[in-house]
PDB file of all heavy atoms in Angstrom:
ATOM      1  N   TYR A 878      20.735  -9.837  -6.573  1.00 94.00           N
ATOM      2  CA  TYR A 878      19.710  -9.257  -7.438  1.00 94.00           C
ATOM      3  C   TYR A 878      19.607  -7.758  -7.206  1.00 94.00           C
ATOM      4  O   TYR A 878      19.818  -7.277  -6.092  1.00 94.00           O
ATOM      5  CB  TYR A 878      18.344  -9.907  -7.162  1.00 94.00           C
ATOM      6  CG  TYR A 878      18.296 -11.341  -7.607  1.00 94.00           C
ATOM      7  CD1 TYR A 878      18.650 -12.369  -6.735  1.00 94.00           C
ATOM      8  CD2 TYR A 878      17.959 -11.669  -8.912  1.00 94.00           C
ATOM      9  CE1 TYR A 878      18.654 -13.696  -7.156  1.00 94.00           C
ATOM     10  CE2 TYR A 878      17.956 -12.989  -9.339  1.00 94.00           C
ATOM     11  CZ  TYR A 878      18.303 -13.990  -8.455  1.00 94.00           C
ATOM     12  OH  TYR A 878      18.319 -15.291  -8.885  1.00 94.00           O
ATOM     13  N   ARG A 879      19.302  -7.064  -8.276  1.00 94.00           N
ATOM     14  CA  ARG A 879      18.837  -5.697  -8.121  1.00 94.00           C
ATOM     15  C   ARG A 879      17.340  -5.761  -7.864  1.00 94.00           C
ATOM     16  O   ARG A 879      16.660  -6.672  -8.343  1.00 94.00           O
ATOM     17  CB  ARG A 879      19.152  -4.881  -9.375  1.00 94.00           C
ATOM     18  CG  ARG A 879      20.648  -4.673  -9.597  1.00 94.00           C
ATOM     19  CD  ARG A 879      20.927  -3.886 -10.859  1.00 94.00           C
ATOM     20  NE  ARG A 879      20.596  -4.654 -12.049  1.00 94.00           N
ATOM     21  CZ  ARG A 879      20.542  -4.143 -13.282  1.00 94.00           C
ATOM     22  NH1 ARG A 879      20.757  -2.856 -13.461  1.00 94.00           N
ATOM     23  NH2 ARG A 879      20.262  -4.906 -14.313  1.00 94.00           N
ATOM     24  N   VAL A 880      16.825  -4.792  -7.110  1.00 96.00           N
ATOM     25  CA  VAL A 880      15.422  -4.850  -6.695  1.00 96.00           C
ATOM     26  C   VAL A 880      14.741  -3.516  -6.969  1.00 96.00           C
ATOM     27  O   VAL A 880      15.261  -2.455  -6.601  1.00 96.00           O
ATOM     28  CB  VAL A 880      15.302  -5.177  -5.183  1.00 96.00           C
ATOM     29  CG1 VAL A 880      13.826  -5.219  -4.761  1.00 96.00           C
ATOM     30  CG2 VAL A 880      15.986  -6.505  -4.866  1.00 96.00           C
ATOM     31  N   PHE A 881      13.575  -3.601  -7.621  1.00 96.00           N
ATOM     32  CA  PHE A 881      12.704  -2.433  -7.701  1.00 96.00           C
ATOM     33  C   PHE A 881      11.536  -2.666  -6.757  1.00 96.00           C
ATOM     34  O   PHE A 881      10.753  -3.603  -6.937  1.00 96.00           O
ATOM     35  CB  PHE A 881      12.181  -2.179  -9.113  1.00 96.00           C
ATOM     36  CG  PHE A 881      11.263  -0.990  -9.153  1.00 96.00           C
ATOM     37  CD1 PHE A 881      11.787   0.296  -9.138  1.00 96.00           C
ATOM     38  CD2 PHE A 881       9.895  -1.145  -9.142  1.00 96.00           C
ATOM     39  CE1 PHE A 881      10.949   1.397  -9.119  1.00 96.00           C
ATOM     40  CE2 PHE A 881       9.050  -0.048  -9.132  1.00 96.00           C
ATOM     41  CZ  PHE A 881       9.580   1.225  -9.123  1.00 96.00           C
ATOM     42  N   LEU A 882      11.440  -1.833  -5.735  1.00 97.00           N
ATOM     43  CA  LEU A 882      10.404  -1.957  -4.713  1.00 97.00           C
ATOM     44  C   LEU A 882       9.261  -1.009  -5.059  1.00 97.00           C
ATOM     45  O   LEU A 882       9.393   0.214  -4.968  1.00 97.00           O
ATOM     46  CB  LEU A 882      11.000  -1.626  -3.341  1.00 97.00           C
ATOM     47  CG  LEU A 882      10.078  -1.681  -2.126  1.00 97.00           C
ATOM     48  CD1 LEU A 882       9.372  -3.026  -2.028  1.00 97.00           C
ATOM     49  CD2 LEU A 882      10.891  -1.425  -0.855  1.00 97.00           C
ATOM     50  N   LEU A 883       8.147  -1.575  -5.494  1.00 97.00           N
ATOM     51  CA  LEU A 883       7.000  -0.759  -5.893  1.00 97.00           C
ATOM     52  C   LEU A 883       6.278  -0.225  -4.660  1.00 97.00           C
ATOM     53  O   LEU A 883       6.007  -0.969  -3.709  1.00 97.00           O
ATOM     54  CB  LEU A 883       6.031  -1.593  -6.737  1.00 97.00           C
ATOM     55  CG  LEU A 883       4.852  -0.827  -7.343  1.00 97.00           C
ATOM     56  CD1 LEU A 883       5.338   0.175  -8.396  1.00 97.00           C
ATOM     57  CD2 LEU A 883       3.847  -1.778  -7.970  1.00 97.00           C
ATOM     58  N   ASP A 884       5.978   1.052  -4.697  1.00 97.00           N
ATOM     59  CA  ASP A 884       5.262   1.713  -3.591  1.00 97.00           C
ATOM     60  C   ASP A 884       3.843   2.019  -4.060  1.00 97.00           C
ATOM     61  O   ASP A 884       3.621   2.942  -4.850  1.00 97.00           O
ATOM     62  CB  ASP A 884       6.000   2.991  -3.202  1.00 97.00           C
ATOM     63  CG  ASP A 884       5.365   3.715  -2.025  1.00 97.00           C
ATOM     64  OD1 ASP A 884       4.335   3.231  -1.506  1.00 97.00           O
ATOM     65  OD2 ASP A 884       5.904   4.759  -1.623  1.00 97.00           O
ATOM     66  N   TYR A 885       2.870   1.250  -3.568  1.00 97.00           N
ATOM     67  CA  TYR A 885       1.477   1.459  -3.970  1.00 97.00           C
ATOM     68  C   TYR A 885       0.982   2.862  -3.608  1.00 97.00           C
ATOM     69  O   TYR A 885       0.053   3.377  -4.235  1.00 97.00           O
ATOM     70  CB  TYR A 885       0.556   0.450  -3.280  1.00 97.00           C
ATOM     71  CG  TYR A 885       0.922  -0.992  -3.446  1.00 97.00           C
ATOM     72  CD1 TYR A 885       0.875  -1.867  -2.353  1.00 97.00           C
ATOM     73  CD2 TYR A 885       1.306  -1.516  -4.677  1.00 97.00           C
ATOM     74  CE1 TYR A 885       1.198  -3.203  -2.481  1.00 97.00           C
ATOM     75  CE2 TYR A 885       1.632  -2.850  -4.822  1.00 97.00           C
ATOM     76  CZ  TYR A 885       1.576  -3.690  -3.716  1.00 97.00           C
ATOM     77  OH  TYR A 885       1.894  -5.022  -3.832  1.00 97.00           O
ATOM     78  N   TYR A 886       1.577   3.447  -2.574  1.00 95.00           N
ATOM     79  CA  TYR A 886       1.080   4.706  -2.025  1.00 95.00           C
ATOM     80  C   TYR A 886       2.006   5.878  -2.358  1.00 95.00           C
ATOM     81  O   TYR A 886       2.022   6.888  -1.658  1.00 95.00           O
ATOM     82  CB  TYR A 886       0.897   4.546  -0.510  1.00 95.00           C
ATOM     83  CG  TYR A 886       0.127   3.287  -0.166  1.00 95.00           C
ATOM     84  CD1 TYR A 886       0.743   2.230   0.495  1.00 95.00           C
ATOM     85  CD2 TYR A 886      -1.198   3.127  -0.556  1.00 95.00           C
ATOM     86  CE1 TYR A 886       0.053   1.052   0.767  1.00 95.00           C
ATOM     87  CE2 TYR A 886      -1.895   1.950  -0.289  1.00 95.00           C
ATOM     88  CZ  TYR A 886      -1.256   0.921   0.371  1.00 95.00           C
ATOM     89  OH  TYR A 886      -1.939  -0.238   0.639  1.00 95.00           O
ATOM     90  N   PHE A 887       2.755   5.718  -3.432  1.00 94.00           N
ATOM     91  CA  PHE A 887       3.691   6.747  -3.870  1.00 94.00           C
ATOM     92  C   PHE A 887       2.964   8.059  -4.151  1.00 94.00           C
ATOM     93  O   PHE A 887       3.469   9.136  -3.844  1.00 94.00           O
ATOM     94  CB  PHE A 887       4.417   6.261  -5.129  1.00 94.00           C
ATOM     95  CG  PHE A 887       5.618   7.062  -5.516  1.00 94.00           C
ATOM     96  CD1 PHE A 887       6.879   6.688  -5.085  1.00 94.00           C
ATOM     97  CD2 PHE A 887       5.502   8.173  -6.341  1.00 94.00           C
ATOM     98  CE1 PHE A 887       8.008   7.413  -5.461  1.00 94.00           C
ATOM     99  CE2 PHE A 887       6.618   8.907  -6.722  1.00 94.00           C
ATOM    100  CZ  PHE A 887       7.872   8.523  -6.268  1.00 94.00           C
ATOM    101  N   ARG A 888       1.784   7.969  -4.737  1.00 91.00           N
ATOM    102  CA  ARG A 888       1.034   9.164  -5.106  1.00 91.00           C
ATOM    103  C   ARG A 888       0.538   9.928  -3.881  1.00 91.00           C
ATOM    104  O   ARG A 888       0.648  11.149  -3.801  1.00 91.00           O
ATOM    105  CB  ARG A 888      -0.174   8.791  -5.969  1.00 91.00           C
ATOM    106  CG  ARG A 888       0.158   8.156  -7.295  1.00 91.00           C
ATOM    107  CD  ARG A 888      -1.087   7.555  -7.923  1.00 91.00           C
ATOM    108  NE  ARG A 888      -0.808   6.939  -9.200  1.00 91.00           N
ATOM    109  CZ  ARG A 888      -0.282   5.713  -9.338  1.00 91.00           C
ATOM    110  NH1 ARG A 888       0.030   4.988  -8.264  1.00 91.00           N
ATOM    111  NH2 ARG A 888      -0.067   5.216 -10.529  1.00 91.00           N
ATOM    112  N   THR A 889      -0.025   9.210  -2.936  1.00 87.00           N
ATOM    113  CA  THR A 889      -0.672   9.846  -1.794  1.00 87.00           C
ATOM    114  C   THR A 889       0.281  10.096  -0.633  1.00 87.00           C
ATOM    115  O   THR A 889      -0.007  10.911   0.250  1.00 87.00           O
ATOM    116  CB  THR A 889      -1.831   8.969  -1.285  1.00 87.00           C
ATOM    117  OG1 THR A 889      -1.318   7.690  -0.877  1.00 87.00           O
ATOM    118  CG2 THR A 889      -2.867   8.771  -2.387  1.00 87.00           C
ATOM    119  N   LYS A 890       1.418   9.352  -0.618  1.00 86.00           N
ATOM    120  CA  LYS A 890       2.394   9.460   0.470  1.00 86.00           C
ATOM    121  C   LYS A 890       1.769   9.193   1.829  1.00 86.00           C
ATOM    122  O   LYS A 890       2.168   9.747   2.854  1.00 86.00           O
ATOM    123  CB  LYS A 890       3.069  10.839   0.454  1.00 86.00           C
ATOM    124  CG  LYS A 890       3.890  11.099  -0.807  1.00 86.00           C
ATOM    125  CD  LYS A 890       4.533  12.463  -0.786  1.00 86.00           C
ATOM    126  CE  LYS A 890       5.477  12.635  -1.973  1.00 86.00           C
ATOM    127  NZ  LYS A 890       4.778  12.479  -3.281  1.00 86.00           N
ATOM    128  N   THR A 891       0.749   8.338   1.840  1.00 86.00           N
ATOM    129  CA  THR A 891       0.099   7.943   3.090  1.00 86.00           C
ATOM    130  C   THR A 891      -0.029   6.431   3.127  1.00 86.00           C
ATOM    131  O   THR A 891      -0.077   5.776   2.081  1.00 86.00           O
ATOM    132  CB  THR A 891      -1.302   8.565   3.217  1.00 86.00           C
ATOM    133  OG1 THR A 891      -2.103   8.155   2.092  1.00 86.00           O
ATOM    134  CG2 THR A 891      -1.228  10.086   3.249  1.00 86.00           C
ATOM    135  N   SER A 892      -0.082   5.880   4.336  1.00 86.00           N
ATOM    136  CA  SER A 892      -0.277   4.445   4.510  1.00 86.00           C
ATOM    137  C   SER A 892      -1.738   4.179   4.858  1.00 86.00           C
ATOM    138  O   SER A 892      -2.395   5.013   5.480  1.00 86.00           O
ATOM    139  CB  SER A 892       0.633   3.911   5.622  1.00 86.00           C
ATOM    140  OG  SER A 892       1.982   4.111   5.286  1.00 86.00           O
ATOM    141  N   PRO A 893      -2.266   3.004   4.494  1.00 90.00           N
ATOM    142  CA  PRO A 893      -3.667   2.710   4.794  1.00 90.00           C
ATOM    143  C   PRO A 893      -3.887   2.447   6.274  1.00 90.00           C
ATOM    144  O   PRO A 893      -2.963   2.067   7.005  1.00 90.00           O
ATOM    145  CB  PRO A 893      -3.942   1.449   3.963  1.00 90.00           C
ATOM    146  CG  PRO A 893      -2.608   0.789   3.863  1.00 90.00           C
ATOM    147  CD  PRO A 893      -1.598   1.900   3.777  1.00 90.00           C
ATOM    148  N   ASP A 894      -5.106   2.657   6.720  1.00 89.00           N
ATOM    149  CA  ASP A 894      -5.510   2.340   8.087  1.00 89.00           C
ATOM    150  C   ASP A 894      -5.781   0.835   8.159  1.00 89.00           C
ATOM    151  O   ASP A 894      -6.708   0.335   7.531  1.00 89.00           O
ATOM    152  CB  ASP A 894      -6.773   3.130   8.451  1.00 89.00           C
ATOM    153  CG  ASP A 894      -7.249   2.877   9.882  1.00 89.00           C
ATOM    154  OD1 ASP A 894      -6.669   1.995  10.569  1.00 89.00           O
ATOM    155  OD2 ASP A 894      -8.200   3.548  10.314  1.00 89.00           O
ATOM    156  N   LEU A 895      -4.959   0.114   8.919  1.00 90.00           N
ATOM    157  CA  LEU A 895      -5.088  -1.337   9.038  1.00 90.00           C
ATOM    158  C   LEU A 895      -5.396  -1.730  10.480  1.00 90.00           C
ATOM    159  O   LEU A 895      -5.004  -2.790  10.944  1.00 90.00           O
ATOM    160  CB  LEU A 895      -3.799  -2.020   8.560  1.00 90.00           C
ATOM    161  CG  LEU A 895      -3.326  -1.671   7.148  1.00 90.00           C
ATOM    162  CD1 LEU A 895      -2.010  -2.369   6.837  1.00 90.00           C
ATOM    163  CD2 LEU A 895      -4.382  -2.028   6.111  1.00 90.00           C
ATOM    164  N   SER A 896      -6.127  -0.873  11.173  1.00 86.00           N
ATOM    165  CA  SER A 896      -6.346  -1.047  12.604  1.00 86.00           C
ATOM    166  C   SER A 896      -7.387  -2.105  12.954  1.00 86.00           C
ATOM    167  O   SER A 896      -7.530  -2.471  14.113  1.00 86.00           O
ATOM    168  CB  SER A 896      -6.754   0.290  13.231  1.00 86.00           C
ATOM    169  OG  SER A 896      -7.931   0.801  12.615  1.00 86.00           O
ATOM    170  N   SER A 897      -8.115  -2.614  11.973  1.00 90.00           N
ATOM    171  CA  SER A 897      -9.127  -3.640  12.228  1.00 90.00           C
ATOM    172  C   SER A 897      -9.295  -4.480  10.974  1.00 90.00           C
ATOM    173  O   SER A 897      -8.934  -4.043   9.867  1.00 90.00           O
ATOM    174  CB  SER A 897     -10.466  -2.996  12.602  1.00 90.00           C
ATOM    175  OG  SER A 897     -11.038  -2.336  11.479  1.00 90.00           O
ATOM    176  N   PRO A 898      -9.851  -5.692  11.113  1.00 87.00           N
ATOM    177  CA  PRO A 898     -10.117  -6.502   9.913  1.00 87.00           C
ATOM    178  C   PRO A 898     -10.971  -5.776   8.889  1.00 87.00           C
ATOM    179  O   PRO A 898     -10.751  -5.915   7.674  1.00 87.00           O
ATOM    180  CB  PRO A 898     -10.822  -7.735  10.483  1.00 87.00           C
ATOM    181  CG  PRO A 898     -10.298  -7.861  11.879  1.00 87.00           C
ATOM    182  CD  PRO A 898     -10.147  -6.437  12.355  1.00 87.00           C
ATOM    183  N   GLN A 899     -11.931  -4.985   9.360  1.00 91.00           N
ATOM    184  CA  GLN A 899     -12.780  -4.226   8.437  1.00 91.00           C
ATOM    185  C   GLN A 899     -11.958  -3.196   7.662  1.00 91.00           C
ATOM    186  O   GLN A 899     -12.106  -3.055   6.443  1.00 91.00           O
ATOM    187  CB  GLN A 899     -13.901  -3.519   9.194  1.00 91.00           C
ATOM    188  CG  GLN A 899     -14.813  -2.690   8.283  1.00 91.00           C
ATOM    189  CD  GLN A 899     -15.908  -1.963   9.051  1.00 91.00           C
ATOM    190  OE1 GLN A 899     -16.110  -2.216  10.238  1.00 91.00           O
ATOM    191  NE2 GLN A 899     -16.605  -1.061   8.387  1.00 91.00           N
ATOM    192  N   LYS A 900     -11.060  -2.503   8.366  1.00 93.00           N
ATOM    193  CA  LYS A 900     -10.223  -1.500   7.712  1.00 93.00           C
ATOM    194  C   LYS A 900      -9.267  -2.156   6.705  1.00 93.00           C
ATOM    195  O   LYS A 900      -9.009  -1.608   5.632  1.00 93.00           O
ATOM    196  CB  LYS A 900      -9.434  -0.727   8.755  1.00 93.00           C
ATOM    197  CG  LYS A 900     -10.285   0.146   9.668  1.00 93.00           C
ATOM    198  CD  LYS A 900     -10.893   1.306   8.917  1.00 93.00           C
ATOM    199  CE  LYS A 900     -11.620   2.249   9.852  1.00 93.00           C
ATOM    200  NZ  LYS A 900     -12.259   3.387   9.128  1.00 93.00           N
ATOM    201  N   ILE A 901      -8.755  -3.328   7.068  1.00 91.00           N
ATOM    202  CA  ILE A 901      -7.872  -4.042   6.146  1.00 91.00           C
ATOM    203  C   ILE A 901      -8.628  -4.403   4.869  1.00 91.00           C
ATOM    204  O   ILE A 901      -8.125  -4.231   3.753  1.00 91.00           O
ATOM    205  CB  ILE A 901      -7.295  -5.301   6.814  1.00 91.00           C
ATOM    206  CG1 ILE A 901      -6.355  -4.908   7.960  1.00 91.00           C
ATOM    207  CG2 ILE A 901      -6.550  -6.165   5.794  1.00 91.00           C
ATOM    208  CD1 ILE A 901      -5.892  -6.084   8.796  1.00 91.00           C
ATOM    209  N   GLY A 902      -9.859  -4.912   5.050  1.00 89.00           N
ATOM    210  CA  GLY A 902     -10.680  -5.252   3.895  1.00 89.00           C
ATOM    211  C   GLY A 902     -10.954  -4.046   3.015  1.00 89.00           C
ATOM    212  O   GLY A 902     -10.938  -4.146   1.774  1.00 89.00           O
ATOM    213  N   GLU A 903     -11.202  -2.896   3.644  1.00 90.00           N
ATOM    214  CA  GLU A 903     -11.456  -1.673   2.889  1.00 90.00           C
ATOM    215  C   GLU A 903     -10.206  -1.236   2.114  1.00 90.00           C
ATOM    216  O   GLU A 903     -10.306  -0.775   0.978  1.00 90.00           O
ATOM    217  CB  GLU A 903     -11.908  -0.562   3.832  1.00 90.00           C
ATOM    218  CG  GLU A 903     -13.292  -0.795   4.431  1.00 90.00           C
ATOM    219  CD  GLU A 903     -13.647   0.213   5.513  1.00 90.00           C
ATOM    220  OE1 GLU A 903     -12.786   1.075   5.837  1.00 90.00           O
ATOM    221  OE2 GLU A 903     -14.769   0.155   6.042  1.00 90.00           O
ATOM    222  N   ALA A 904      -9.042  -1.396   2.742  1.00 91.00           N
ATOM    223  CA  ALA A 904      -7.786  -1.022   2.067  1.00 91.00           C
ATOM    224  C   ALA A 904      -7.525  -1.906   0.858  1.00 91.00           C
ATOM    225  O   ALA A 904      -7.116  -1.431  -0.205  1.00 91.00           O
ATOM    226  CB  ALA A 904      -6.628  -1.104   3.052  1.00 91.00           C
ATOM    227  N   VAL A 905      -7.766  -3.215   1.013  1.00 91.00           N
ATOM    228  CA  VAL A 905      -7.584  -4.146  -0.100  1.00 91.00           C
ATOM    229  C   VAL A 905      -8.555  -3.816  -1.232  1.00 91.00           C
ATOM    230  O   VAL A 905      -8.161  -3.751  -2.405  1.00 91.00           O
ATOM    231  CB  VAL A 905      -7.771  -5.602   0.374  1.00 91.00           C
ATOM    232  CG1 VAL A 905      -7.827  -6.547  -0.812  1.00 91.00           C
ATOM    233  CG2 VAL A 905      -6.658  -6.003   1.329  1.00 91.00           C
ATOM    234  N   ALA A 906      -9.818  -3.585  -0.873  1.00 89.00           N
ATOM    235  CA  ALA A 906     -10.825  -3.276  -1.896  1.00 89.00           C
ATOM    236  C   ALA A 906     -10.521  -1.958  -2.593  1.00 89.00           C
ATOM    237  O   ALA A 906     -10.859  -1.776  -3.771  1.00 89.00           O
ATOM    238  CB  ALA A 906     -12.211  -3.231  -1.254  1.00 89.00           C
ATOM    239  N   GLY A 907      -9.888  -1.025  -1.877  1.00 91.00           N
ATOM    240  CA  GLY A 907      -9.630   0.290  -2.443  1.00 91.00           C
ATOM    241  C   GLY A 907      -8.392   0.379  -3.302  1.00 91.00           C
ATOM    242  O   GLY A 907      -8.182   1.386  -3.998  1.00 91.00           O
ATOM    243  N   LEU A 908      -7.543  -0.657  -3.281  1.00 94.00           N
ATOM    244  CA  LEU A 908      -6.331  -0.640  -4.093  1.00 94.00           C
ATOM    245  C   LEU A 908      -6.653  -1.199  -5.475  1.00 94.00           C
ATOM    246  O   LEU A 908      -6.994  -2.366  -5.628  1.00 94.00           O
ATOM    247  CB  LEU A 908      -5.231  -1.460  -3.419  1.00 94.00           C
ATOM    248  CG  LEU A 908      -3.851  -1.417  -4.088  1.00 94.00           C
ATOM    249  CD1 LEU A 908      -3.318   0.006  -4.150  1.00 94.00           C
ATOM    250  CD2 LEU A 908      -2.876  -2.311  -3.329  1.00 94.00           C
TER     251      LEU A 908
END
């Protein structure tokens, strides 16, 4: 297969803070 890998953070060029369950929840809610 050919694959197109979508980058949710292409615009910001930053990764979310996933250091705690609360931060993970905030990242999910913010996407």
Side-chain angles (χ1 to χ4, degrees):
Y878 291 90
R879 293 179 291 169
V880 179
F881 179 78
L882 179 54
L883 186 67
D884 182 359
Y885 306 136
Y886 311 113
F887 193 93
R888 297 168 180 81
T889 60
K890 296 180 173 59
T891 58
S892 298
D894 181 354
L895 305 177
S896 58
S897 69
Q899 179 181 350
K900 293 292 186 181
I901 293 172
E903 291 172 357
V905 170
L908 186 59

